[in-house]
Every structure is written in C-alpha cells, then in structure tokens.
Amino acid sequence: MNIDKSVSLFREAQALLPGGVDSPVRAFRAVGGQPLFIDCGEGPYLYDVDGNRYIDYVLSWGPLITGHAHPHVVEAIQKAAVKGTSYGAPSPLELDLAKRVMEFMPNIEMIRFVNSGTEATMSALRLARAYTKRDKIIKFEGCYHGHADLLLVQAGSGVATLGLPDSPGVPANTVKDTLVAEFNDLESVERLFKRYPEQIAAIIVEPVAGNMGVIPPRPGFLEGLRVITKREGAILIFDEVMTGFRVHPGGAQTLYNITPDLTTLGKVIGGGLPVGAYGGRKEILQMVAPAGPMYQAGTLAGNPLAMSAGLATLELIRDQKVWDEMERHARQLDVGIESAAKKAGVPIQQTRVGTMRTTFFSETEPVDWNTVKGADKVQFAKFFQKMLSNGVYLAPSQFEAGFLSIVHDERVIAETLAAVEQTFNTWWQ
Ligand SMILES: *Cc1c(COP(=O)(O)O)cnc(C)c1O
C-alpha cells in the first residue's frame, strides 16, 4: 500500500495544526503509523489521496448512516445552498427537522438546534441546573459527552485513548460539581445522592455507552436511573448524540422504553454537517431563552444546509425495513469476526447494539470502564493495521464504536469478511 502523499501531507500538517489534526483520535496515536489524508468518500468507501480504497466503518464517527455522499443528501444540500447558506433568522427547515426528529423520538416535545454534540450536552446541563436550581451533576466513568470543561472528567473516547485523567486548562472549580459514578452500577449512583442530598441537578448518561467502545446497559440500569432521578427531583439526560437512530430508529429511549427528561442529539441528525440538538419535556424547554431565562444562542444554529442534510438523512432511514437490514449486516459482521478469531485462537469479546459495535481484544466481559481498560491495545493495533492493509478502515482506537450505514450491503459485508479472514489467517505471522 502506497501512502506517500499522505506521509508528505502529514509532515506539512504537523507544522500547521497541533499534532497534524483537528481532533485528537484522528492522529492514529493509539495504533501507530500515521493518519491517511482523505480525498473523497463514496457510499461505503473512503479514498485516500494516494488512491487507496477502504470500506469505512468509522463513517465520520457515526453521522453518515446513509454512507458518503448519498445522492439524496447531496441533492438536498445543493438545493439549500443555492437559496443561501445562512440567514440568522428562522426558516421553515427548522420546523421540518424538529417534527421529523419528534416522529422518531416522541419524548421530545420541544427542541433547540445547536452546532455540535458538545454544545448540546453543555446546554442541556445548564438547563437542568437552571430548572432544578441545583449545581451538581453526575456523569459516568468512561462516558464522553463532548469537550466542555465541566464534562472533561474521567471521559472516554480520545481522552481515554490518550490516557489523560482530565485536561490541563480545566480549572478545578469548573469540575468541582461534577460527580463521577460507575456505568452499570446503581449503587455508585445511590451513594452520591446520599452524600449530596438535594444538590444534584442531573444525571447525564450515554444510554448505550459508545465512547469506551460499545457497552450495553445491564438490564435494570437505565430503569434504575429513571427511578432514582424521579425520587430525588433530578433531571435524567440521555446523551443520544451517538445512539440516536443507531441503536434503534428511535434511539435508546425507544429501544429500552424509558422516558428521559432531556435528550441530546448530534451526529446523525446533521447528515454529515455540523448539528447538535437538545430537547425533551416542554415544561423544561420553556426555560430556554427567549421563552425563559436560561441563555443559550448560536450564530449558525438551525443552519439551512445542515437542516436539509439532516432531513434528507432521516427520510432515508424512516423505512423500518431499511434500518433492519442495516442491523442484520452488523450482526453478520459479528458472526464473521467471531468465527475467524476463534479459528486463529485469538480471544475477543464483541458488543453490539443495533448498528454500533466493538471488537475488544480481551478475555473479560466488558461491562464498564474498569473491565474495558484492560483490553489488549497491542492486539487491537495489530487488528487495526492488518484490516487497514486489507482495505478496511476501522476507528484507530480500542475504545471506540464502529458503525454501519444503509449502503453497507451484502456485497460490502462479504468483502469485509474476506478481509477479516485474511487478517486472522495471517495473525501469527
Ligand atoms: C460525539 C459525542 C459528543 C460530542 O459531539 P461533538 O459533535 O463531537 O461535539 C457528545 N456525546 C456523545 C455521546 C458523543 O458520542
């Protein structure tokens, strides 16, 4: 595989951008080697600047549920662009996307669009604090909710990958009200409520954790969070930035039939353009300015291109049959990897909910950050590099989810499984 152009671009990039990238995990530090510079994406494929083609299971870290440059999405963006790229004033597109999102997630009675998942979670927590008039919040170890100061405590994703406990530049004061509990452990939540009675505004949780690799909630865990927050007068926030439309068309709240007070969204609802959103109970959302006193604003919020891309994307996954096919293909992938690894005598643990999945190189069942962090990163890096040279692009870290799209069809899955066979057949060489 020739990657000369990527090598030269990465050299130049390191002088221009910190670490040569605009988001840390892209730099491949957890797996070695160097990032590929991308020329274009088409359907399930990514093409690097040296002309190599890869089947893409990163899909821009989740948003591209319809694959790269789906003609329907591209057409929607083009149509919107000729009508102007931003108005700074309301447009009917915002109502269309709001209604479409609510069709998928009926618990959302009112919604505010923002520009990223980070903005969504940051704002939802501000809202929960404003509504409850309390300051403390609970997050879970290994869960990632974007890079806002108050959430950069024992977070997953890039923070976990780089092994940073938190980040310099985050003042101790801004995280002093952030309490950390263990995912899948209700006792650890109860302890915090006992210790800080009537001080906790909200629990924020990835209902299926995706940012330490995919970790499904244990039966009763999410139900328990709902019961505890109700009893304690705290707000339950489901951060569905990743799980939305991915673990079920209606997100984790529909899959597990639990009603959170607030939901944060991002990724898929922007169809590859920058969008986030927070929504939920009308009574709470009415506190957001200008309806209420909680301030939050955005120059490009509700951007017509982003709204159009999101609408076109959600139209394409509305048909349950289309979504079910995507999940079936995800399952085929699990089965193929499982059997190839077994044949080669490589211990793995696979987790999947809907169209989000992870292959852990571990002998321990991953159920929380403690069990996940022991996964064999050297084995994972080997898997990543072999798959890459066999034409499959995976997330360059053990602690990430992999994603499918509606254009990862039978043929693409077969092609992927051939690469998987090849990878494990040569494992010990
Ligand atoms: C990606 C992600 C975010 C942050 O979204 P950005 O758009 O990257 O700011 C927040 N929460 C979860 C669960 C995510 O997966």
Side-chain angles (χ1 to χ4, degrees):
M1 201 169 71
N2 178 348
I3 59 160
D4 291 352
K5 285 187 186 157
S6 278
V7 169
S8 133
L9 285 167
F10 190 49
R11 201 174 301 129
E12 187 184 356
Q14 281 169 294
L16 297 169
L17 315 171
V21 291
D22 277 315
S23 196
V25 184
R26 293 182 195 171
F28 278 30
R29 293 214 176 167
V31 290
Q34 71 140 68
L36 300 167
F37 278 67
I38 303 306
D39 175 49
C40 67
E42 185 185 79
Y45 302 112
L46 266 183
Y47 294 83
D48 69 16
V49 289
D50 290 285
N52 302 301
R53 190 191 80 171
Y54 310 90
I55 303 173
D56 184 10
Y57 288 95
V58 182
L59 296 170
S60 190
W61 302 89
L64 303 180
I65 201 164
T66 64
H68 292 276
H70 192 289
H72 184 63
V73 178
V74 172
E75 191 195 344
I77 297 171
Q78 284 170 334
K79 274 195 176 146
V82 294
K83 294 175 74 179
T85 53
S86 183
Y87 311 132
S91 87
L93 292 166
E94 292 154 72
L95 312 190
D96 294 344
L97 187 56
K99 284 187 274 191
R100 181 58 49 82
V101 168
M102 289 166 188
E103 273 173 31
F104 283 88
M105 294 182 183
N107 295 326
I108 298 183
E109 299 168 355
M110 202 171 239
I111 194 166
R112 165 63 60 88
F113 289 109
V114 294
N115 301 301
S116 69
T118 295
E119 266 188 73
T121 56
M122 191 178 80
S123 309
L125 285 165
R126 184 182 301 152
L127 179 55
R129 284 168 160 177
Y131 182 80
T132 58
K133 302 192 177 70
R134 298 175 181 178
D135 286 342
K136 297 201 183 298
I137 58 161
I138 294 178
K139 77 172 286 287
F140 293 91
E141 196 178 10
C143 283
Y144 177 72
H145 305 286
H147 66 86
D149 277 357
L150 79 166
L151 288 163
L152 272 190
V153 184
Q154 298 185 30
S157 193
V159 186
T161 302
L162 299 176
L164 305 174
D166 49 22
S167 168
V170 174
N173 259 334
T174 53
V175 293
K176 79 173 193 325
D177 289 320
T178 305
L179 311 170
V180 181
E182 307 286 325
F183 193 75
N184 272 334
D185 179 358
L186 288 173
E187 254 323 292
S188 68
V189 176
E190 291 283 18
R191 273 198 299 275
L192 291 172
F193 276 100
K194 206 165 276 165
R195 187 153 166 208
Y196 301 103
E198 289 176 39
Q199 295 174 58
I200 296 170
I203 294 180
I204 186 167
V205 64
E206 290 183 74
V208 175
N211 286 289
M212 49 177 149
V214 173
I215 303 294
R218 276 189 174 139
F221 176 61
L222 298 173
E223 291 82 352
L225 296 182
R226 182 64 283 185
V227 169
I228 294 169
T229 44
K230 243 195 196 128
R231 186 190 71 211
E232 302 288 339
I235 299 292
L236 180 61
I237 305 172
F238 273 12
D239 181 359
E240 300 229 42
V241 170
M242 188 187 286
T243 53
F245 316 93
R246 282 229 164 257
V247 297
H248 182 280
Q253 52 198 276
T254 309
L255 178 61
Y256 300 111
N257 192 25
I258 292 165
T259 307
D261 301 297
L262 295 175
T263 300
T264 53
L265 295 170
K267 299 193 169 118
V268 167
I269 58 162
L273 271 72
V275 184
Y278 59 104
R281 272 165 54 197
K282 191 174 242 164
E283 183 205 349
I284 306 177
L285 268 287
Q286 288 284 13
M287 285 207 73
V288 179
M294 189 218 79
Y295 194 72
Q296 185 273 308
T299 302
L300 294 176
N303 177 267
L305 267 61
M307 297 292 108
S308 301
L311 270 168
T313 297
L314 294 189
E315 266 160 33
L316 287 167
I317 58 165
R318 226 168 157 190
D319 183 349
Q320 182 77 36
K321 283 202 293 289
V322 170
W323 199 93
D324 289 345
E325 266 298 276
M326 183 166 51
E327 175 167 32
R328 192 171 66 79
H329 291 140
R331 210 176 306 129
Q332 283 179 335
L333 216 52
D334 287 354
V335 173
I337 295 174
E338 182 77 41
S339 88
K342 199 169 208 174
K343 229 187 314 167
V346 180
I348 59 165
Q349 305 281 330
Q350 298 205 98
T351 51
R352 180 182 60 78
V353 182
T355 68
M356 273 166 62
R357 56 176 311 288
T358 301
T359 303
F360 289 102
F361 287 79
S362 173
E363 302 196 35
T364 314
E365 189 197 355
V367 295
D368 57 14
W369 177 240
N370 265 323
T371 45
V372 159
K373 70 182 180 201
D376 190 331
K377 298 187 229 9
V378 175
Q379 293 283 87
F380 175 82
K382 183 166 161 180
F383 179 61
F384 171 85
Q385 294 295 355
K386 280 179 175 286
M387 288 295 282
L388 190 66
S389 56
N390 290 322
V392 179
Y393 190 85
L394 303 173
S397 162
Q398 173 71 94
F399 307 118
E400 300 287 352
F403 304 99
L404 275 81
S405 81
I406 59 171
V407 296
H408 284 66
D409 60 14
E410 212 71 31
R411 195 172 44 89
V412 174
I413 298 298
E415 206 181 328
T416 308
L417 289 177
V420 168
E421 290 279 324
Q422 178 69 10
T423 292
F424 283 108
N425 282 343
T426 61
W427 194 262
W428 303 107
Q429 287 166 23

